[in-house]
Amino acid sequence: RQYYPVFSDAKVYETSEDSECQGYSNTKDKVREHNFGKDHTDEICDYCCEIKNINYPGLSAECSEITYDGKSHTPEITIKAKKAEGSGADGSGDSGDSGNSVVDNSGDSDADSSGGSGSSGNSVVDNSGDSGADNSGDLPEDAGSLTEGTDYEVSVTPQTDVSADANGYTATITGKGAYAGTRTVQWNLTPKEITLTVDGEVSRPYDGTTDVFLDDILTNITTSLDGVLEEDKNDVSAKVSYAFADANANDSVVVNVTKAILEGNKSINYTLAEDITNTITGHITKLTSAPALPQQQERKVAYTVDTVDKVTLPAGWEWAEEDKTKSLPVGETITATAVYAGADKGNYETVSVEIAITRQTCTHEGTWDDGKVTKQPTEKETGVKTYTCTLCGETRTEEIPVVKPSDDNGNGASDSNDTSNGTSNDASKLPVKGSVVADDQKTGQYQILNPAAKEVVFKGLANKNAKSVTIPATVKIKGVTCKVTGIADNAMKGSKKLTKAVIGSNVKTIGKNAFAGSKKLKTVKIGKNVTSIGANAFKKCTAVTSLTLPAKTVKIGANAFNGCKKLKKLTIKSKKMTKKTVAKNAFKGLTKKTKIKAPKAKVKAYKKLLRKRGLSGKVKFI
């Protein structure tokens, strides 16, 4: 007799007449609920019963492979007992994933059903001790297949397309005849393999990359798919990305396919073959000029630049080796060749340019020494003080005034400008006109305007991150008290942190772009003696809220207050401004928030004048 491993939902069909299995009996269907006896541990029937259940894991279900062809299909399903694995003379062995060996000998009492289970750990052997049983020998190679229609039926819906679901479609198998239960299997159509062909031409100028731009007018690529069914051709296409194999200019550059994806309603039914037919020809043309090509074919350089290699060039450019050491005589023009030295220089038509270089004479700006008295003055004759340029050695002289006669006590007349602390206020100690020096406190830079009159102009602060600036009425330079009579061009232009500016009482002129673009500048106090405000002086000072133009103001340059959009109040005390002294767009960019107060006698004239100089009609006079 034979024993079969079973599960608790298995049914017993056609039990042996001599079976002692005590289970529920249904005489109509000859069915008994399986009886496990007293010991349920191994789920092995204590009696000789033929257990046949279609859901038994020892039975395998295989589906036929179907390749998509546009037609409707159902799979052919084969169910058969799994082969025993590792069987030997003792009949033992391990099964696959189910953990159970499966042999169906149709009730043959001489069959050997010994074997080992897999992951379940349950061995199935004949332990009845019945001397009539033969449990030795090898298991059969294949226990055979079940017959559709006799042992089972298949319920499945015909399908035309490949399923997008990773699990595919489901087929239901129902036991029939000597088999009970149901089981399901997953199946799917296999996508049809098709071949991609790309052809055409790609041409573009060098840009340092391998990118292929499909929307470029010089790109003409066609793609085709070989193997697509006729009825699917409008529903399947390929999205393809390309790249040059090399980024450098070349008349024949390989163009590679970097990515290809099928798109369209029927694309799921197809798969691309690994081999792609690629006959694209690629061209990368050279650019006309190398980057940052020097635009100045004639260069004037400072006196300090005495050889060609000291003349600066744009990044990536250098002087030809034979020109680097050429001397630059003052006032003479020397021609030298600049060459592009970038790693990609082979990608440009023009990689060199000739430049004419002229070395200028020394400007002596800030380079005069403190001077030396080369002739002492007397009461009758002036003296001479000689200054030497520390850069080029050139000299200049200044006259020293005659010595003043002594008073009745034999003392020389005092200089009314001498300071009370005994510091000399001798103008001869000042540098030459045009020199730029720091004040004695090192707070700022000043340019000597008139040494004899001891007048200077403010050039800028030493602290570039200062939040406020006060241009003083006077400042000490080399111990000499000097009047600050002006603010130089660009003195505080573009100051990023400046919020307040106070202009001293001796300042008469505010230079061009003096505070232009200082976007955080909110408070400005203009000194009472300012007569001239230069072009763009306060242009785009977008935070300024209040301004007062003093009574002595006459001249206002172009765009002087252009863009002061937060200016709420403008007070004009001057009565001297005319159409000849106020330049174009001086008040452009002021908004309707601005209110202008002017002398009553000038309101009408100024309203007309300022409107012509860019003032919005929305600005009101009060």
Side-chain angles (χ1 to χ4, degrees):
R1 76 186 174 183
Q2 196 82 353
Y3 289 94
Y4 297 89
V6 295
F7 293 88
S8 59
D9 64 345
K11 307 293 183 181
V12 178
Y13 283 79
E14 302 289 348
T15 58
S16 302
E17 291 182 1
D18 59 350
S19 172
E20 299 178 9
C21 180
Q22 301 298 313
Y24 171 78
S25 176
N26 184 323
T27 56
K28 180 179 179 181
D29 296 327
K30 296 183 180 181
V31 175
R32 290 181 186 276
E33 292 287 348
H34 196 272
N35 189 328
F36 295 103
K38 297 178 180 179
D39 185 1
H40 289 246
T41 306
D42 297 325
E43 293 195 352
I44 299 175
C45 184
D46 293 338
Y47 307 97
C48 177
C49 297
E50 296 182 10
I51 310 304
K52 297 184 179 181
N53 190 293
I54 202 70
N55 199 35
Y56 175 53
L59 296 175
S60 67
E62 299 177 357
C63 295
S64 59
E65 183 175 321
I66 306 169
T67 300
Y68 169 77
D69 61 2
K71 299 177 182 178
S72 180
H73 291 278
T74 57
E76 294 181 6
I77 297 177
T78 303
I79 300 178
K80 60 183 178 180
K82 294 180 180 178
K83 292 180 181 181
E85 297 181 7
S87 59
D90 61 357
S92 63
D94 294 332
S95 69
D97 296 338
S98 68
N100 298 310
S101 63
V102 182
V103 179
D104 184 351
N105 288 317
S106 303
D108 185 354
S109 61
D110 292 330
D112 177 5
S113 62
S114 64
S117 67
S119 61
S120 68
N122 295 321
S123 63
V124 182
V125 295
D126 182 353
N127 292 319
S128 66
D130 188 337
S131 60
D134 180 9
N135 295 318
S136 64
D138 294 337
L139 293 170
E141 284 295 317
D142 193 332
S145 300
L146 276 64
T147 303
E148 185 176 356
T150 301
D151 299 319
Y152 65 93
E153 289 181 345
V154 178
S155 175
V156 61
T157 302
Q159 301 293 340
T160 302
D161 296 318
V162 176
S163 173
D165 190 330
N167 294 321
Y169 301 110
T170 300
T172 302
I173 303 167
T174 305
K176 186 178 180 182
Y179 289 84
T182 61
R183 69 188 297 171
T184 58
V185 293
Q186 304 303 126
W187 69 283
N188 206 344
L189 293 166
T190 301
K192 187 177 189 296
E193 187 174 80
I194 56 177
T195 303
L196 173 65
T197 298
V198 291
D199 184 35
E201 185 175 8
V202 178
S203 181
R204 67 160 172 79
Y206 168 76
D207 68 357
T209 73
T210 59
D211 297 336
V212 171
F213 306 107
L214 296 180
D215 56 351
D216 195 300
I217 60 172
L218 299 177
T219 299
N220 183 19
I221 296 177
T222 59
T223 62
S224 61
L225 296 170
D226 185 26
V228 177
L229 299 180
E230 188 66 31
E231 59 268 28
D232 291 344
K233 286 188 176 180
N234 292 330
D235 292 313
V236 181
S237 61
K239 182 179 180 181
V240 188
S241 300
Y242 307 88
F244 288 105
D246 186 4
N248 292 312
N250 196 316
D251 193 48
S252 180
V253 186
V254 173
V255 178
N256 293 322
V257 173
T258 58
K259 189 175 183 180
I261 301 174
L262 291 177
E263 296 182 320
N265 294 335
K266 291 289 186 178
S267 61
I268 194 170
N269 295 316
Y270 297 92
T271 183
L272 282 173
E274 289 293 326
D275 294 332
I276 297 174
T277 303
N278 182 351
T279 55
I280 299 173
T281 56
H283 314 282
I284 298 179
T285 58
K286 290 184 178 182
L287 294 178
T288 303
S289 302
L293 178 74
Q295 298 300 312
Q296 289 180 298
Q297 307 301 308
E298 297 181 359
R299 294 276 298 274
K300 292 181 179 181
V301 297
Y303 173 82
T304 53
V305 181
D306 55 2
T307 57
V308 169
D309 60 342
K310 292 181 181 179
V311 179
T312 58
L313 288 171
W317 289 79
E318 61 183 31
W319 294 107
E321 283 297 326
E322 61 271 21
D323 291 337
K324 287 182 178 179
T325 57
K326 281 185 179 179
S327 297
L328 297 174
V330 175
E332 292 186 23
T333 299
I334 301 297
T335 300
T337 301
V339 295
Y340 180 65
D344 62 343
K345 59 185 177 183
N347 296 294
Y348 307 96
E349 298 290 351
T350 301
V351 291
S352 66
V353 61
E354 286 192 349
I355 299 175
I357 308 168
T358 303
R359 182 184 177 192
Q360 295 180 300
T361 57
C362 183
T363 61
H364 315 303
E365 186 173 343
T367 60
W368 293 112
D369 65 8
D370 293 337
K372 182 178 181 180
V373 177
T374 53
K375 180 183 177 183
Q376 291 292 344
T378 65
E379 291 183 2
K380 294 182 179 181
E381 293 185 353
T382 58
V384 176
K385 188 175 184 179
T386 303
Y387 297 88
T388 303
C389 177
T390 58
L391 194 61
C392 68
E394 186 176 329
T395 60
R396 70 171 182 85
T397 59
E398 281 187 1
E399 184 182 86
I400 302 174
V402 296
V403 177
K404 294 180 180 181
S406 301
D407 59 18
D408 293 340
N409 296 319
N411 298 317
S414 62
D415 188 338
S416 60
N417 291 323
D418 283 350
T419 59
S420 60
N421 61 8
T423 304
S424 171
N425 209 23
D426 185 359
S428 64
K429 289 189 175 183
L430 292 174
V432 66
K433 178 181 179 180
S435 300
V436 178
V437 294
D439 65 284
D440 291 352
Q441 299 298 319
K442 308 296 183 185
T443 59
Q445 293 287 316
Y446 294 85
Q447 186 172 28
I448 307 301
L449 183 65
N450 186 338
K454 290 174 276 191
E455 292 180 353
V456 298
V457 294
F458 174 76
K459 288 281 287 183
L461 287 175
N463 180 8
K464 302 300 181 182
N465 294 317
K467 293 184 178 180
S468 65
V469 58
T470 297
I471 290 88
T474 61
V475 67
K476 279 192 176 182
I477 297 174
K478 297 187 180 297
V480 179
T481 300
C482 301
K483 288 183 178 181
V484 182
T485 60
I487 300 173
D489 294 349
N490 306 305
M492 299 298 292
K493 180 181 179 181
S495 298
K496 294 181 179 180
K497 297 185 178 181
L498 187 67
T499 61
K500 182 178 180 181
V502 178
I503 299 171
S505 59
N506 285 328
V507 174
K508 297 177 181 178
T509 61
I510 299 175
K512 297 176 182 178
N513 302 298
F515 295 91
S518 299
K519 295 183 178 181
K520 291 187 178 181
L521 180 60
K522 185 176 181 180
T523 303
V524 178
K525 294 183 179 180
I526 300 176
K528 64 182 180 179
N529 288 310
V530 170
T531 61
S532 174
I533 298 174
N536 305 308
F538 294 94
K539 184 178 181 181
K540 292 187 178 180
C541 290
T542 53
V544 173
T545 58
S546 177
L547 281 171
T548 297
L549 302 183
K552 293 184 179 181
T553 302
V554 176
K555 185 178 180 181
I556 299 178
N559 297 295
F561 301 101
N562 192 339
C564 295
K565 59 184 180 181
K566 289 189 178 180
L567 185 63
K568 294 181 179 180
K569 186 176 182 181
L570 173 62
T571 301
I572 303 175
K573 294 183 177 181
S574 172
K575 298 180 181 179
K576 301 177 181 181
M577 297 189 303
T578 68
K579 62 181 181 180
K580 292 183 179 181
T581 63
V582 179
K584 183 178 179 181
N585 295 325
F587 295 93
K588 185 178 180 180
L590 304 188
T591 70
K592 62 181 181 180
K593 297 178 182 179
T594 307
K595 301 294 184 291
I596 299 178
K597 184 177 181 181
K600 289 183 179 181
K602 301 295 291 185
V603 169
K604 183 176 180 180
Y606 280 178
K607 185 181 293 187
K608 182 178 180 181
L609 171 63
L610 270 56
R611 296 258 192 266
K612 290 183 178 181
R613 297 299 183 262
L615 184 68
S616 169
K618 296 180 180 180
V619 177
K620 295 182 179 181
F621 281 72
I622 58 174

